[in-house]
Amino acid sequence: MTSAVSSVTQAAKIAVVLPCYNEEGAIGKVVTDFKAALPYAEIYVFDNNSKDNTVTEAKEAGATVLFERQQGKGNVVRRIFSEIDADCYIMADGDDTYDAASAQKLVDAIVKDRCDMVVGTRQPVEGEMTYRQGHAFGNILLTTLARFFFGRGFTDMLSGYRGFSRRFAKSFPVMSGGFEIETEMTIHCLSLGLPSTEIATPYYERAEGTESKLNTYQDGFRILMTMVRLFKDYRPMAFFTIGALILALLSIGISTPVIFNYLETGLVERLPTAVLSMGIMVSAILALACGFILDSVAQQRLETKRLSYLSIPFLKD
């Protein structure tokens, strides 16, 4: 660590926060590695009802252990941001898959470059089994959808290795309870246009004896639904316009035979179809109207969030 880096980081309070659930056999090494990489940082382990020796290992390694009884990573992150007071937060999992030596780069991006969020983009180490079957595809799919919904994004949206500024942590209203928290943090950052960046970091296979808590299909579906919900909340005009367009096309498709029949005979012989078509078109118009109304509401919510974000100093006095 150079003196230039030291002078900058010593002026800021750095916290390494590690959400944990049954990480016996890994958490001790993770804490030790982060203490070596960031000797000036406070290391916090947030235990989420572990049933093994996670807490004992963390304490023996020198971490401060706190507890969150509501199950789920999102609930842990909510507790972290409310309980811990720091200028820079480095968050990683307790399974020893992330590279602690890269933490200094994340700190520099927050403290020196004044980013509000930095994502440690996972680069699998050659020869190691890092991703479970389906995880890599799901990550690519969800990352692509985020770019489509919001116009820009990150290359590894679901990475749990991140850095946050004080302004981000104290102004981010955590609503998610589970693994969809990374999606919520990403979209919050994108919607407000906060300064952010990505840093490539090595990604290792899990420590022997530990197991992933992520359910590929169940949690993947929850993440997808969270993304759709946030798309509706943050960009209601686009969301309801898409819905209105689908309904309008369906109405036109259903009514086309009725219209041609009327032009030929002068009669509406399929009245129920005509009524159904009209009802669907009315629904399309209502969806479009909802989009206009909710877009104004969404803009006001974004303005409120932005003002809340700006009211928090980047570094604590």
Side-chain angles (χ1 to χ4, degrees):
M1 181 175 61
T2 65
S3 59
V5 172
S6 178
S7 64
V8 173
T9 54
Q10 285 181 359
K13 183 178 179 181
I14 313 297
V16 175
V17 291
L18 305 169
C20 283
Y21 174 63
N22 290 343
E23 299 296 357
E24 178 184 356
I27 186 59
K29 182 177 182 299
V30 172
V31 172
T32 301
D33 288 348
F34 273 104
K35 286 175 72 70
L38 300 174
Y40 47 84
E42 294 289 335
I43 313 293
Y44 298 91
V45 169
F46 276 76
D47 183 72
N48 196 206
N49 303 312
S50 294
K51 298 175 178 61
D52 57 12
N53 290 323
T54 295
V55 172
T56 301
E57 276 192 23
K59 288 181 178 179
E60 290 178 351
T64 300
V65 179
L66 300 174
F67 300 89
E68 172 51 50
R69 299 307 181 190
Q70 292 189 78
Q71 199 66 40
K73 187 175 182 179
N75 294 320
V76 177
V77 172
R78 184 185 302 114
R79 186 66 175 273
I80 288 171
F81 287 166
S82 63
E83 291 287 332
I84 304 302
D85 186 42
D87 297 310
C88 174
Y89 300 76
I90 302 299
M91 184 173 72
D93 294 337
D95 55 10
D96 197 26
T97 55
Y98 295 114
D99 181 46
S102 300
Q104 184 62 62
K105 297 178 182 179
L106 274 66
V107 171
D108 289 343
I110 298 295
V111 179
K112 294 177 65 179
D113 299 336
R114 301 182 75 83
C115 290
D116 284 305
M117 185 175 79
V118 54
V119 178
T121 304
R122 294 170 288 184
Q123 304 294 318
V125 175
E126 186 176 356
E128 297 199 15
M129 299 295 294
T130 53
Y131 284 106
R132 287 167 54 191
Q133 186 177 8
H135 283 194
F137 172 76
N139 191 20
I140 293 172
L141 174 63
L142 293 170
T143 298
T144 302
L145 285 175
R147 287 182 176 274
F148 174 76
F149 287 160
F150 296 92
R152 64 189 186 94
F154 299 93
T155 57
D156 187 6
M157 188 185 74
L158 300 183
S159 173
Y161 197 14
R162 301 187 181 221
F164 307 98
S165 69
R166 168 188 294 275
R167 289 189 300 196
F168 185 100
K170 297 304 182 182
S171 65
F172 173 47
V174 181
M175 303 301 295
S176 301
F179 284 109
E180 61 271 25
I181 182 63
E182 281 88 5
T183 300
E184 186 181 1
M185 290 187 293
T186 299
I187 292 176
H188 176 76
C189 179
L190 295 176
S191 64
L192 290 179
L194 304 183
S196 60
T197 189
E198 293 181 284
I199 293 175
T201 61
Y203 186 56
Y204 304 96
E205 61 182 321
R206 295 180 61 90
E208 186 176 354
T210 63
E211 297 181 358
S212 173
K213 296 17 173 230
L214 181 66
N215 184 295
T216 303
Y217 301 104
Q218 179 179 340
D219 289 314
F221 180 75
R222 290 179 61 184
I223 291 170
L224 178 61
M225 290 299 98
T226 297
M227 187 179 300
V228 172
R229 174 180 62 82
L230 292 173
F231 178 52
K232 174 183 68 68
D233 291 343
Y234 284 100
R235 298 191 60 195
M237 190 68 236
F239 180 86
F240 284 98
T241 296
I242 292 173
L245 181 61
I246 293 172
L247 290 172
L249 291 175
L250 179 62
S251 175
I252 293 171
I254 293 174
S255 66
T256 298
V258 178
I259 295 173
F260 278 116
N261 181 257
Y262 174 77
L263 294 176
E264 291 176 0
T265 65
L267 300 174
V268 180
E269 297 178 349
R270 300 168 62 181
L271 183 60
T273 303
V275 172
L276 174 62
S277 174
M278 182 178 65
I280 295 175
M281 185 59 75
V282 170
S283 298
I285 295 172
L286 289 175
L288 194 62
C290 288
F292 278 110
I293 295 171
L294 292 177
D295 188 63
S296 298
V297 175
Q299 290 299 319
Q300 292 176 358
R301 291 178 66 244
L302 281 177
E303 289 174 4
T304 301
K305 288 183 178 182
R306 185 75 181 179
L307 290 173
S308 175
Y309 158 81
L310 292 174
S311 67
I312 301 169
F314 192 84
L315 297 176
K316 186 176 181 181
D317 295 335

